[in-house]
């Protein structure tokens, strides 16, 4: 199969969308053929959890050709029946008190959702604004963090609205979503498929329900639908309606439903803070009244070279990092970032649970798994200024590993000296900064 064929079609969709920004496309599904389906299958994760039918990717691949042909025929003819998603709950933070619902589609449903996502992506990429970073090609959380850092430094921090949308994925209004979609997509096949996914139902503990609002977190199509929804609700409104009416500077950084709005003027920030609930309420969404805060994040006014620091420096959290003002080696104020405490605790809790469950595995297997976990942690949290927290994380992982190795038998014998010898054979990777943001001039 040649993915170039799919790529060429996507380029054509993108070109037409760019040329005709106000046109609603009525014929997109004709691009879907066996090659398109096969490429979607290739891009679908094979190691994910199974859906309500309990079919694995390996089982689906045993008769892949016929399965994809059948899926193609059912999708285009309208006979495809979207199965309900299997709902599970995962901890939202390290306390475990608040749970996040995750919807797990069947493997075949994931493939078909990927098919539609691959059609919508090149079209909407021509519409989405630069302030949006989540689940978009060539963009990442670190791009959002770097953009936020640079722009906030330019205006000296400013006034920040730390925006929290209450249960966004569970409360997205289906009627508003359909109306927003139809402005750019009027293809009957796609609209019908998306409608089936929105109404497919949720299976939880053997009980089937049909929520009238929301789209399950965990579905392949959900990130795309959420970006389309918030592009209309927040991004274009902020850029086209709010900013032209402000007296000072303002910008926004959004990653999926996580967003911060930054203003150089307190009056501007207060005005926007006042209208935000009305704007979101218009689309059936609710701003969390306690978690959404207006924060005075202006640069401290102490002079350079002074040893006096603010008694209560302002902080805010975004994408797993706590942002705060600190001093550079030259004594100048700049915005620093450290691992958010709840994320740090949750990551250690996950390592502790893994070591407890797998303490009887061979040292080679444990070392390989822990190395992978540490490298994953460094690849996200290893940014300039956060070295101390990733070093601490590595040290805590070592202590956790030793603790559970020491409990592998009734006669604990993993002394610190013996553990040091073990580390010489199975050394864990040292903490390292992966994302280096330029601070040399500070």
């Amino acid at each position: 199969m040649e993915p170039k064929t799919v790529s060429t079609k996507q380029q054509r969709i993108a070109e037409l969308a760019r040329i005709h920004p106000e046109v609603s496309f009525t014929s997109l599904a004709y691009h879907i053929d066996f090659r398109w389906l096969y490429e979607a299958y290739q891009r679908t994760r094979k190691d994910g959890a199974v859906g309500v039918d309990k079919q694995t990717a390996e089982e689906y691949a045993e008769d892949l050709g016929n399965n994809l042909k059948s899926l193609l025929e059912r999708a285009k003819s309208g006979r495809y029946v979207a199965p309900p998603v299997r709902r599970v709950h995962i901890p939202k933070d390290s306390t475990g008190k608040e749970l996040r619902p995750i919807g797990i589609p069947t493997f075949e449903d994931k493939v078909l959702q990927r098919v539609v996502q691959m059609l919508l992506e090149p079209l909407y990429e021509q519409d989405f604004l630069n302030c949006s970073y989540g689940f978009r090609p060539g963009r990442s959380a670190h791009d959002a963090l770097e953009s936020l850092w640079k722009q906030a430094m330019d205006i000296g921090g400013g006034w920040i609205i730390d925006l929290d949308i209450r249960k966004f994925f569970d409360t997205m209004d289906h009627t508003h979503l359909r109306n927003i979609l139809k402005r750019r997509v009027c293809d009957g096949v796609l609209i019908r498929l998306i409608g089936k996914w929105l109404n497919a139902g949720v299976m939880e503990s053997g009980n089937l329900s049909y929520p009238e609002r929301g789209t399950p977190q965990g579905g392949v199509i959900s990130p795309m639908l959420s970006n389309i929804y918030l592009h209309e609700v927040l991004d274009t409104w902020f850029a086209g309606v709010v900013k032209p009416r402000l007296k000072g500077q303002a910008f926004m950084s959004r990653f999926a439903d996580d967003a911060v709005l930054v203003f150089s003027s307190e009056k501007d920030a207060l005005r926007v803070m006042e209208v935000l609930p009305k704007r979101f309420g218009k689309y059936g969404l609710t701003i969390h009244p306690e978690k959404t805060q207006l924060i005075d994040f202006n640069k401290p006014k102490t002079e350079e070279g002074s040893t006096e620091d603010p008694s209560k420096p302002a902080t805010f959290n975004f994408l797993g990092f706590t942002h705060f003002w600190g001093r550079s080696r030259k004594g100048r104020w700049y915005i620093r970032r450290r691992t958010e405490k709840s994320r740090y605790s949750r990551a250690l809790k996950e390592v502790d649970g893994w070591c407890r469950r797998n303490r009887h595995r061979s040292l080679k297997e444990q070392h390989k798994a822990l190395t992978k976990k540490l490298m994953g942690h460094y690849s996200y949290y290893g940014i300039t200024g956060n070295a101390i927290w990733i070093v601490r994380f590595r040290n805590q992982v070592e202590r956790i590993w030793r603790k559970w190795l020491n409990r592998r038998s009734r006669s604990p014998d993993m002394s610190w000296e013996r553990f040091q010898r073990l580390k010489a054979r199975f050394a864990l990777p040292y903490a390292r900064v992966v994302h280096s943001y330029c601070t040399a001039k500070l």
Side-chain angles (χ1 to χ4, degrees):
M1 303 304 166
E2 297 181 4
K4 288 184 179 180
T5 304
V6 174
S7 176
T8 301
K9 290 180 179 180
Q10 288 180 316
Q11 290 174 9
R12 179 57 179 164
I13 294 171
E15 182 182 356
L16 290 172
R18 185 169 52 252
I19 296 172
H20 306 289
E22 304 298 328
V23 169
S24 181
F25 288 78
T26 58
S27 55
L28 288 171
Y30 83 91
H31 289 294
I32 303 174
D33 54 17
F34 186 85
R35 288 185 175 183
W36 191 286
L37 240 71
Y38 184 80
E39 179 66 17
Y41 164 80
Q42 291 287 79
R43 297 185 188 185
T44 303
R45 280 186 57 182
K46 310 300 189 296
D47 58 348
V50 297
V52 293
D53 64 352
K54 299 183 180 179
Q55 185 182 46
T56 64
E58 290 76 13
E59 292 170 343
Y60 192 82
E62 290 176 1
D63 192 15
L64 181 60
N66 287 329
N67 284 335
L68 291 182
K69 288 177 183 177
S70 172
L71 179 59
L72 177 62
E73 193 277 328
R74 283 178 285 138
K76 287 205 167 186
S77 67
R79 294 192 300 108
Y80 181 78
V81 178
V85 298
R86 182 170 68 88
R87 175 173 286 174
V88 297
H89 295 268
I90 62 172
K92 198 171 184 179
D93 52 35
S94 59
T95 65
K97 295 180 180 179
E98 194 172 355
L99 299 177
R100 184 194 306 275
I102 299 294
I104 304 173
T106 63
F107 181 77
E108 183 175 68
D109 208 41
K110 292 177 184 177
V111 173
L112 190 55
Q113 288 188 30
R114 181 68 65 188
V115 166
V116 175
Q117 183 265 342
M118 287 164 54
L119 280 171
L120 296 180
E121 183 177 86
L123 191 159
Y124 278 100
E125 274 300 308
Q126 313 312 309
D127 297 348
F128 289 158
L129 305 183
N130 286 332
C131 62
S132 168
Y133 292 89
F135 308 107
R136 294 181 58 188
R139 287 172 166 247
S140 68
H142 286 280
D143 293 325
L145 288 165
E146 185 171 10
S147 174
L148 171 64
W149 186 85
K150 289 180 176 178
Q151 293 185 81
M153 284 291 294
D154 287 342
I155 66 173
W159 296 83
I160 291 181
I161 295 179
D162 186 2
L163 182 63
D164 187 279
I165 308 171
R166 176 180 280 171
K167 297 183 178 180
F168 169 68
F169 285 93
D170 296 332
T171 58
M172 192 188 305
D173 186 88
H174 292 176
T175 301
H176 284 302
L177 176 59
R178 290 189 182 96
N179 292 335
I180 294 170
L181 276 168
K182 287 180 180 178
R183 295 176 188 175
R184 285 300 255 166
V185 181
C186 277
D187 187 296
V189 173
L190 301 190
I191 294 297
R192 185 167 56 242
L193 283 173
I194 293 172
K196 289 181 178 182
W197 288 319
L198 293 176
N199 298 314
V202 174
M203 180 71 73
E204 184 175 4
S205 302
N207 298 318
L208 181 61
S209 61
Y210 295 91
E212 296 180 357
R213 301 164 68 89
T215 178
Q217 269 184 281
V220 174
I221 198 67
S222 293
M224 173 59 70
L225 296 181
S226 68
N227 268 341
I228 293 171
Y229 203 81
L230 287 176
H231 171 73
E232 173 68 22
V233 176
L234 181 59
D235 299 359
T236 57
W237 172 73
F238 185 76
V241 178
V242 174
K243 287 180 68 174
R245 290 171 168 80
L246 301 180
K247 295 182 178 180
Q249 300 179 62
F251 68 91
M252 181 182 72
S253 185
R254 180 177 68 81
F255 192 94
D257 62 329
D258 197 356
V260 289
L261 289 67
V262 188
F263 306 84
S264 61
S265 165
E266 181 182 10
K267 289 184 179 180
D268 288 340
L270 287 169
R271 288 171 59 197
V272 175
M273 188 76 168
E274 184 180 351
V275 300
L276 272 175
K278 300 176 185 177
R279 174 64 182 179
F280 278 78
K282 178 181 176 181
Y283 289 88
L285 301 174
T286 304
I287 299 295
H288 200 297
E290 297 174 359
K291 294 183 179 180
T292 299
Q293 303 177 31
L294 177 59
I295 301 165
D296 179 359
F297 196 69
N298 285 285
K299 183 169 66 174
K301 295 181 180 179
T302 52
E303 298 179 357
E304 291 184 17
S306 171
T307 58
E308 180 184 354
D309 285 345
S311 57
K312 293 183 179 180
T315 66
F316 70 94
N317 296 324
F318 184 57
L319 298 181
F321 290 91
T322 297
H323 296 66
F324 63 101
W325 284 98
R327 290 186 184 274
S328 68
R329 293 181 179 179
K330 296 181 180 180
R332 298 172 183 172
W333 290 107
Y334 76 105
I335 299 172
R336 298 184 59 185
R337 278 108 6 131
R338 62 170 180 260
T339 308
E340 188 180 336
K341 289 182 179 180
S342 63
R343 297 287 190 94
Y344 180 82
S345 300
R346 185 171 66 189
L348 286 178
K349 187 176 181 180
E350 290 175 356
V351 170
D352 185 81
W354 188 92
C355 288
R356 174 178 57 81
R357 294 189 302 271
N358 298 276
R359 62 186 181 274
H360 294 298
R361 288 193 178 190
S362 69
L363 291 176
K364 185 176 181 180
E365 288 179 305
Q366 292 187 46
H367 173 260
K368 182 178 180 180
L370 291 176
T371 295
K372 186 176 181 180
K373 291 179 184 296
L374 281 172
M375 294 304 292
H377 190 85
Y378 301 157
S379 68
Y380 188 78
Y381 293 102
I383 68 172
T384 302
N386 195 41
I388 187 172
W389 283 91
I390 58 175
V391 169
R392 286 178 182 176
F393 184 80
R394 179 188 183 277
N395 293 340
Q396 288 297 322
V397 169
E398 280 193 346
R399 290 185 176 93
I400 291 170
W401 192 21
R402 175 178 175 257
K403 178 185 77 172
W404 288 109
L405 287 177
N406 204 34
R407 299 183 185 184
R408 294 216 293 185
S409 66
R410 294 183 179 180
S411 302
D413 59 354
M414 186 55 67
S415 65
W416 187 248
E417 290 74 16
R418 184 181 176 188
F419 186 63
Q420 294 301 313
R421 293 195 297 272
L422 181 147
K423 282 169 48 180
R425 293 172 54 207
F426 299 100
L428 293 176
Y430 288 103
R432 64 190 184 93
V433 171
V434 178
H435 306 277
S436 181
Y437 299 157
C438 181
T439 57
K441 297 180 180 180
L442 296 174

